[in-house]
Amino acid sequence: MNVRLHPHARERIAERGATVAEVVGTVEHGGRAPAKHGRTCFQRNFPFGAEWLGRRYANKQVLAYAVPEAGGWLVITVIVRYF
């Protein structure tokens, strides 16, 4: 499956603490749900076990919002949650 990242998504990945590999893995292997504006939300949890913004978290959840395109997905934005 081809997964491309919009420049906006690349900026969000960097500032929210995800990696490109995590986002691609989320689209390829994560759960899927419909989202607003004809988008699809992909969701996947990853073990984290590290500190983010001064607090320690065991897990990280990556949400990738994407639109279908020929042969794959274009990721528009990325949300990261820590817990």
Side-chain angles (χ1 to χ4, degrees):
M1 172 187 317
N2 183 28
V3 178
R4 289 190 326 114
L5 300 173
H6 188 278
H8 175 82
R10 286 191 183 276
E11 290 175 13
R12 299 300 82 80
I13 287 169
E15 73 183 25
R16 296 178 178 163
T19 66
V20 171
E22 288 171 338
V23 173
V24 171
T26 297
V27 173
E28 292 178 341
H29 306 291
R32 174 189 304 202
K36 292 181 181 180
H37 309 295
R39 297 178 182 163
T40 300
C41 176
F42 295 90
Q43 175 183 320
R44 188 170 178 200
N45 294 339
F46 294 90
F48 185 58
E51 191 173 294
W52 177 253
L53 299 178
R55 290 187 60 189
R56 189 157 184 83
Y57 296 96
N59 299 293
K60 172 174 28 176
Q61 182 179 73
V62 176
L63 303 165
Y65 289 87
V67 293
E69 63 176 18
W73 294 93
L74 173 63
V75 177
I76 304 297
T77 195
V78 175
I79 306 289
V80 181
R81 297 178 180 148
Y82 296 88
F83 58 98

